[in-house]
Amino acid sequence: MERRTYLVTAGIGASSLLAGCLSDDPSDTESDSAGSDGDDETDPDGDESGTESEPDPGPVIETYLEAAQAENPDAMAEVVHSASPLQGLLTDPEWEFESSGSVDLDALETEVVTADGSIADVRELEGAEFWFAESDLEAEIGDEEITLVRAELDGEESTGETGVYALVTEDDEWKVFWVGSEDEISENPEETFEAEIIDTDDDVVERIEWDVDAVDAPEGSDFETGDYARVHLTDSPGLEADLIRTESTVAGAEFEFYGEDEDEPSTSWAGTWANVQLDPAGDQIVVTAVRGDTETVVHREQYEPSD
């Protein structure tokens, strides 16, 4: 049996959508922990954008992340806009939600970066070009208020990761519509690349497919291939690990495969795969085996766009 996974990364919740497929795992369980709904509040210092005052966007983002940490997709769906593709993922029984970690949300800092947002602002966010290529956003949310909010963790909880949330009103309440990360990407990605390491013995990595679809496209759709790599892990591992991490160094996408027991090394990750988003200008896939406090890069391969 195969189960797909929608992963929200630790920290501010930038989404690695449709990340991978975990195969033949009989230990599927669902958390029934409940998240709480955030109440709309008013920010007396907020900028005006066609309303008397701007509601505080912090509660809806915090509620979303609290539910993510509780691995409760139903609670997350309650604060996600009905027109958002996230809604379909969170409510589809074929998808399982997993949180890759937890942080102290008391350290969450939010800042409105675009109070009076537009459809164009949403489309510019990471991943939006692919997901909304076939969507008529003007018809779906064009009459609603849109705001873009930067969220990050402060102090010791900081991960250096910043999320940009597109919040859209629905029935006069702010809802999460899309989440992207905010990274400063070099104009010359090759400058950040390290020497390639190829897993020639297939100890961990069997192969990498480049320019794959990020998701199984619905029948009759016109989805085009995106800037993603599919990392296939070997069926016959040459080592044990607590977890296997796959990441793209420029786009900043990441996916982790844990063993059956996080405290015991294993090869239960064998035969799995993950989709990892790539920067279209060039990127590098890095696969790391983690065992205890030791991290070993077992595969590092460069992505060169075909065009």
Side-chain angles (χ1 to χ4, degrees):
M1 172 182 171
E2 292 188 344
R3 58 184 173 88
R4 297 174 176 139
T5 299
Y6 163 70
L7 173 72
V8 170
T9 60
I12 51 80
S15 301
S16 298
L17 299 175
L18 313 178
C21 170
L22 307 182
S23 56
D24 300 325
D25 187 346
S27 60
D28 294 2
T29 58
E30 292 186 4
S31 170
D32 54 7
S33 303
S36 59
D37 290 334
D39 296 329
D40 286 348
E41 298 180 4
T42 300
D43 180 3
D45 298 322
D47 295 332
E48 295 185 359
S49 60
T51 60
E52 293 182 359
S53 60
E54 283 295 318
D56 182 2
V60 68
I61 295 175
E62 186 169 352
T63 299
Y64 178 86
L65 293 176
E66 285 176 349
Q69 289 190 358
E71 297 189 351
N72 189 334
D74 291 337
M76 295 176 70
E78 290 181 6
V79 293
V80 169
H81 198 283
S82 62
S84 169
L86 302 179
Q87 184 68 239
L89 296 178
L90 293 169
T91 57
D92 188 337
E94 291 189 4
W95 290 87
E96 177 180 339
F97 174 83
E98 291 182 0
S99 173
S100 65
S102 61
V103 294
D104 182 4
L105 292 179
D106 287 339
L108 182 69
E109 298 285 341
T110 59
E111 176 189 6
V112 175
V113 292
T114 306
D116 189 8
S118 66
I119 300 296
D121 293 327
V122 174
R123 290 189 179 279
E124 289 177 359
L125 294 177
E126 177 195 22
E129 181 178 358
F130 170 80
W131 278 97
F132 302 122
E134 304 295 321
S135 299
D136 186 355
L137 294 184
E138 287 74 10
E140 293 176 349
I141 61 173
D143 294 332
E144 303 291 346
E145 293 182 64
I146 301 173
T147 186
L148 269 58
V149 180
R150 179 184 294 115
E152 59 187 337
L153 296 166
D154 194 21
E156 294 181 357
E157 292 290 324
S158 176
T159 61
E161 182 186 13
T162 301
V164 178
Y165 283 69
L167 304 183
V168 178
T169 54
E170 186 170 25
D171 296 329
D172 297 323
E173 294 184 1
W174 286 119
K175 299 284 188 176
V176 175
F177 188 78
W178 190 252
V179 190
S181 64
E182 185 178 75
D183 299 304
E184 293 184 4
I185 297 178
S186 170
E187 294 182 359
N188 299 304
E190 294 81 0
E191 295 177 357
T192 68
F193 293 166
E194 297 183 53
E196 288 193 332
I197 299 173
I198 305 300
D199 185 7
T200 55
D201 294 330
D202 294 347
D203 287 333
V204 175
V205 178
E206 176 185 303
R207 70 186 189 281
I208 297 179
E209 293 181 83
W210 305 100
D211 294 320
V212 301
D213 290 333
V215 61
D216 295 333
E219 185 177 353
S221 68
D222 295 323
F223 280 125
E224 297 180 357
T225 299
D227 297 302
Y228 286 82
R230 180 167 297 168
V231 181
H232 295 265
L233 302 188
T234 182
D235 288 325
S236 303
L239 55 83
E240 294 184 337
D242 300 330
L243 67 87
I244 301 295
R245 179 187 306 122
T246 65
E247 57 190 321
S248 53
T249 59
V250 181
E254 180 178 302
F255 188 83
E256 293 181 339
F257 296 99
Y258 288 86
E260 294 176 352
D261 186 340
E262 293 185 15
D263 298 323
E264 293 292 336
S266 73
T267 59
S268 59
W269 41 265
T272 58
W273 57 262
N275 287 339
V276 183
Q277 188 172 14
L278 301 166
D279 186 273
D283 215 322
Q284 196 169 54
I285 292 291
V286 179
V287 181
T288 304
V290 179
R291 184 164 182 173
D293 295 329
T294 302
E295 298 191 3
T296 303
V297 175
V298 294
H299 193 95
R300 185 190 293 125
E301 188 171 347
Q302 184 172 336
Y303 167 64
E304 298 180 357
S306 57
D307 55 357

